[in-house]
Amino acid sequence: MATTAELFEEPFVADEYIERLVWRTPGGGSRGGPEAFDPKRLLEEFVNHIQELQIMDERIQRKVEKLEQQCQKEAKEFAKKVQELQKSNQIKEAADIIQKLHLIAQELPFDRFSEVKSKIASKYHDLECQLIQEFTSAQRRGEISRMREVAAVLLHFKGYSHCVDVYIKQCQEGAYLRNDIFEDAAILCQGVNKQVGDIFSNPETVLAKLIQNVFEIKLQSFVKDQLEECRKSDAEQYLKSLYDLYTRTTNLSSKLMEFNLGTDKQTFLSKLIKSIFISYLENYIEVETGYLKSRSAMILQRYYDSKNHQKRSIGTGGIQDLKERIRQRTNLPLGPSIDTHGETFLSQEVVVNLLQETKQAFERCHRLSDPSDLPRNAFRIFTILVEFLCIEHIDYALETGLAGIPSSDSRNANLYFLDVVQQANTIFHLFDKQFNDHLMPLISSSPKLSECLQKKKEIIEQMEMKLDTGIDRTLNCMIGQMKHILAAEQKKTDFKPEDENNVLIQYTNACVKVCAYVRKQVEKIKNSMDGKNVDTVLMELGVRFHRLIYEHLQQYSYSCMGGMLAICDVAEYRKCAKDFKIPMVLHLFDTLHALCNLLVVAPDNLKQVCSGEQLANLDKNILHSFVQLRADYRSARLARHFS
């Protein structure tokens, strides 16, 4: 066929075509040559060639038919498109005409042109409906260009807003299919934002109207369904849901701020949020504080129930205040002491729960309060924390602990108040941290700041006063315990033995037990307190410890060997005083140790010892009082040497 195709040259002449075919066929020539004329072979070539031409004709015919069909189809489509364009243009023309007629008709007197005006109005209405229907259909087909054309025509009609409504309604069909309505709304608005500029001449207005529709209808209905169900029955769930819904709504609003809404976006979106939540936010703080009070009371009651403890009512005013003042000044036991069996009635778990509830309340308050009400609302939450944590729990434990401190002359007393001090200090730190982390940011720029600081200061001062009172009484009890040990263990013969020559030089049994007791109390104080409080309390204990030993030593008469024993005891007391790590306390015992040397020094050396570095600045009466304790003081020789 390739050879045959070459024979079709333009212009085509049948005789020439056959002539060329003959010359190309071997044995087809009429002249001599290498091959003689062969009619049979030429006939065979003609027959074959005719068959090939027939096959080619059929193929070409089929191709022609296919091309003709395609051409007819395209012609029909083109004609249809032209017809649609013409029709579209006639719509535009009709709309322009009816719009102008409608405007003119407004100026015509009704009594003379009522029929004409009615016909124009009817036609205006019909055409408007047709345009809206066309827009609706185009939107369903996804024909953006057609929607743009119809919207442009409708722009001058009263029904243009209805066109926008239709668009907004159909945009939301099938848009809320997930479990998260806020995410659905964000995706919907993002999609419309990309599309609306290709359809409407005022896209920002249309987008704003869509957002308004989403907020006022879809979101408002959703929020109402979520909150109304638990508003009266479950305050905790209501507050959590309100916070969550408000947060998610404001987060959605933040995403929408990136769009052009053709107005003050912040004000526009804020009004939409307010329209949804205003009925819930108006009394929010009442619900918050009511719930926080009941929840805090329940946490405390559950704790005291677990201890099988019935809270005592702490009396105030009148006789109770008088008793307290007398007890603080004299340490007299006014009324029976309470045996709490070592229970501090302070619970870190309770404190953490109360602080956690308050923290959540502060977070909700920050989010849900109007900015002008925020400091006042935060202060109300703070006062509830003070009431239940500081007064109902800590202060109650301090009062109970104070009442549980035994009198200073009690034997084997359980001095557990230091445990109260330790736990109270830990709680103070937690309370102070929440004050700084969660309350301060809400009130820092308002007059409520000074009020909160003052209230915090008053509370801490009241508690510190009770802690100081309790520590003071506890120190008195410690000294009382030491007195009991000394009274029970110290014998008169310890310092004036019957056999001066048969005494081992060592400290007495009373000294051993007192030092063991003191070291235990020092360790407990260090574990119960922190910072400068440790040094302050240890100094006070050290001073009282020194006074006790000083006065104790004044009760005995000392032989020479007894004086040596006293020096050994004081040396051991001084070693115990080193554990305090308070220079002043150690100095007191150094001086006492030097004074005890007056019990054993040779009479001739008394003046020299008294004028030594450690004793030179002491009052002579103090020096004399120790010299008088010597068993040989009455001798004329000693009195003469000392005078």
Side-chain angles (χ1 to χ4, degrees):
M1 291 302 294
T3 303
T4 304
E6 292 175 1
L7 297 175
F8 289 96
E9 296 180 356
E10 294 294 339
F12 179 76
V13 180
D15 291 342
E16 293 180 1
Y17 176 79
I18 294 173
E19 186 68 25
R20 286 196 298 273
L21 180 61
V22 169
W23 280 104
R24 287 174 179 262
T25 303
S30 57
R31 300 177 182 178
E35 293 186 15
F37 176 73
D38 187 349
K40 289 183 179 180
R41 191 169 183 180
L42 183 60
L43 176 62
E44 183 181 349
E45 181 65 26
F46 278 162
V47 172
N48 290 335
H49 193 71
I50 289 170
Q51 290 177 349
E52 290 179 358
L53 289 174
Q54 288 175 342
I55 293 172
M56 179 185 289
D57 180 63
E58 291 175 358
R59 290 180 178 175
I60 291 173
Q61 188 61 35
R62 287 198 298 270
K63 188 174 182 181
V64 168
E65 290 175 355
K66 186 176 181 181
L67 290 172
E68 286 178 347
Q69 291 175 357
Q70 184 176 348
C71 183
Q72 291 174 359
K73 182 180 179 183
E74 290 179 355
K76 288 180 180 179
E77 291 177 353
F78 181 75
K80 182 180 179 182
K81 188 173 183 181
V82 170
Q83 186 178 8
E84 288 178 351
L85 289 172
Q86 290 175 341
K87 182 180 178 182
S88 174
N89 190 52
Q90 291 171 355
I91 289 174
K92 290 180 181 178
E93 291 176 356
D96 185 55
I97 293 170
I98 198 65
Q99 174 67 18
K100 291 178 180 177
L101 287 173
H102 181 71
L103 292 174
I104 294 171
Q106 303 302 312
E107 305 297 327
L108 297 176
F110 182 79
D111 54 347
R112 293 176 56 193
F113 299 95
S114 58
E115 185 177 354
V116 174
K117 294 182 69 169
S118 177
K119 288 181 179 180
I120 292 173
S122 177
K123 187 63 177 177
Y124 180 94
H125 177 72
D126 292 343
L127 185 58
E128 189 177 63
C129 291
Q130 291 175 20
L131 288 168
I132 292 173
Q133 183 59 45
E134 177 61 23
F135 181 88
T136 302
S137 300
Q139 185 177 0
R140 286 176 178 162
R141 295 193 300 268
E143 297 177 356
I144 301 298
S145 60
R146 183 61 180 151
M147 293 168 66
R148 180 172 58 249
E149 292 172 358
V150 178
V153 175
L154 275 169
L155 183 60
H156 304 291
F157 279 75
K158 293 180 179 179
Y160 178 73
S161 61
H162 187 53
C163 171
V164 173
D165 293 340
V166 168
Y167 174 76
I168 289 173
K169 180 181 178 181
Q170 292 195 165
C171 280
Q172 297 182 72
E173 291 179 358
Y176 305 100
L177 299 177
R178 303 171 184 78
N179 291 328
D180 190 342
I181 189 174
F182 297 94
E183 184 65 20
D184 286 339
I187 293 173
L188 168 66
C189 294
Q190 288 168 357
V192 170
N193 181 60
K194 294 177 181 178
Q195 181 188 80
V196 73
D198 296 332
I199 301 172
F200 298 98
S201 59
N202 55 338
E204 65 282 353
T205 304
V206 177
L207 182 59
K209 193 168 185 179
L210 168 66
I211 292 173
Q212 183 175 356
N213 184 275
V214 169
F215 271 73
E216 293 182 348
I217 297 178
K218 201 68 182 178
L219 293 185
Q220 186 156 0
S221 176
F222 179 77
V223 168
K224 184 177 180 181
D225 290 343
Q226 295 290 311
L227 295 180
E228 291 299 328
E229 183 177 347
C230 58
R231 189 171 189 176
K232 296 180 179 178
S233 59
D234 190 341
E236 179 181 14
Q237 186 58 46
Y238 170 75
L239 289 168
K240 288 181 178 179
S241 297
L242 177 58
Y243 176 79
D244 177 64
L245 292 169
Y246 190 83
T247 300
R248 293 166 73 187
T249 304
T250 53
N251 289 342
L252 173 61
S253 175
S254 298
K255 293 179 181 178
L256 301 180
M257 281 290 290
E258 66 186 58
F259 302 145
N260 179 16
L261 304 179
T263 182
D264 182 352
K265 293 184 286 188
Q266 184 68 51
T267 303
F268 172 68
L269 292 170
S270 296
K271 286 182 177 179
L272 291 179
I273 295 174
K274 187 175 182 180
S275 68
I276 295 176
F277 291 97
I278 187 170
S279 63
Y280 306 106
L281 299 182
E282 284 177 339
N283 68 334
Y284 149 71
I285 194 60
E286 303 302 329
V287 179
E288 184 73 80
T289 53
Y291 167 72
L292 186 58
K293 285 181 180 179
S294 63
R295 178 66 177 167
S296 300
M298 186 199 75
I299 291 172
L300 288 179
Q301 189 60 50
R302 188 169 57 194
Y303 167 71
Y304 295 120
D305 287 346
S306 72
K307 298 291 183 181
N308 292 321
H309 176 73
Q310 182 67 38
K311 286 188 74 175
R312 300 166 54 245
S313 59
I314 306 299
T316 57
I319 296 177
Q320 182 67 25
D321 286 347
L322 178 61
K323 284 183 177 181
E324 182 61 27
R325 286 196 295 271
I326 295 174
R327 185 164 53 185
Q328 289 180 16
R329 295 182 181 182
T330 64
N331 286 299
L332 293 175
L334 301 178
S337 176
I338 299 173
D339 187 0
T340 60
H341 305 287
E343 177 60 61
T344 65
F345 292 108
L346 286 172
S347 166
Q348 192 159 336
E349 180 182 357
V350 167
V351 173
V352 169
N353 288 338
L354 290 174
L355 291 175
Q356 181 63 22
E357 292 291 341
T358 311
K359 175 187 173 182
Q360 293 173 357
F362 280 135
E363 289 174 349
R364 288 192 292 263
C365 177
H366 190 195
R367 175 74 70 177
L368 301 176
S369 295
D370 186 274
S372 61
D373 296 330
L374 178 57
R376 182 167 58 253
N377 290 349
F379 179 75
R380 291 181 64 178
I381 293 173
F382 174 64
T383 57
I384 295 173
L385 176 64
V386 168
E387 176 186 354
F388 287 93
L389 175 62
C390 298
I391 298 175
E392 291 296 328
H393 191 56
I394 304 176
D395 190 67
Y396 175 77
L398 294 180
E399 287 285 353
T400 304
L402 287 172
I405 298 175
S407 62
S408 59
D409 60 352
S410 298
R411 295 176 180 270
N412 302 317
N414 180 11
L415 305 181
Y416 83 100
F417 190 80
L418 290 180
D419 295 333
V420 177
V421 174
Q422 179 185 15
Q423 293 181 34
N425 282 333
T426 301
I427 294 171
F428 280 152
H429 289 310
L430 295 174
F431 171 74
D432 193 53
K433 186 176 190 311
Q434 183 168 92
F435 184 93
N436 294 325
D437 293 350
H438 296 100
L439 176 61
M440 284 292 287
L442 308 185
I443 61 171
S444 58
S445 58
S446 77
K448 284 293 179 182
L449 173 60
S450 59
E451 194 172 347
C452 286
L453 290 172
Q454 181 61 29
K455 191 171 188 67
K456 175 188 171 187
K457 180 183 177 184
E458 290 173 358
I459 286 293
I460 291 179
E461 286 178 349
Q462 290 173 10
M463 293 186 179
E464 285 180 341
M465 183 180 69
K466 291 179 181 180
L467 287 172
D468 290 344
T469 301
I471 292 171
D472 181 68
R473 294 183 197 170
T474 300
L475 294 180
N476 283 340
C477 285
M478 290 179 182
I479 299 301
Q481 295 292 98
M482 296 181 212
K483 284 183 179 179
H484 285 305
I485 295 172
L486 291 171
E489 301 293 334
Q490 198 84 72
K491 308 293 190 245
K492 288 186 177 181
T493 56
D494 286 344
F495 302 119
K496 201 173 182 181
E498 296 177 358
D499 186 357
E500 289 279 326
N501 298 320
N502 192 25
V503 176
L504 295 177
I505 303 300
Q506 61 180 3
Y507 34 80
T508 65
N509 191 50
C511 174
V512 172
K513 291 192 175 182
V514 167
C515 287
Y517 179 82
V518 170
R519 287 191 174 98
K520 183 178 178 181
Q521 304 313 311
V522 168
E523 189 64 25
K524 193 166 187 179
I525 289 172
K526 289 180 178 179
N527 292 334
S528 301
M529 300 177 192
D530 54 13
K532 295 181 179 179
N533 293 330
V534 177
D535 292 345
T536 301
V537 174
L538 285 179
M539 176 178 283
E540 185 62 29
L541 176 61
V543 170
R544 297 186 191 189
F545 175 36
H546 168 267
R547 185 185 303 119
L548 171 67
I549 300 302
Y550 179 90
E551 293 175 353
H552 174 70
L553 292 174
Q554 295 278 339
Q555 301 175 35
Y556 299 92
S557 176
Y558 299 87
S559 66
C560 181
M561 188 57 65
M564 296 298 295
L565 277 172
I567 291 174
C568 290
D569 275 5
V570 173
E572 190 64 21
Y573 291 136
R574 182 175 62 175
K575 190 184 299 183
C576 183
K578 287 183 179 180
D579 294 342
F580 286 59
K581 294 185 173 17
I582 305 295
M584 179 181 174
V585 174
L586 185 58
H587 173 72
L588 289 173
F589 278 93
D590 284 342
T591 303
L592 182 60
H593 187 267
L595 282 170
C596 288
N597 286 329
L598 299 177
L599 300 175
V600 297
V601 70
D604 294 339
N605 296 330
L606 273 174
K607 283 190 176 181
Q608 181 182 354
V609 172
C610 289
S611 60
E613 182 180 354
Q614 288 183 309
L615 300 180
N617 295 325
L618 291 181
D619 186 280
K620 285 189 176 182
N621 291 328
I622 295 176
L623 300 175
H624 193 196
S625 67
F626 263 81
V627 174
Q628 287 178 324
L629 299 178
R630 294 171 60 128
D632 59 354
Y633 174 74
R634 298 289 180 184
S635 69
R637 183 184 176 197
L638 183 60
R640 174 170 47 83
H641 279 287
F642 186 73
S643 61

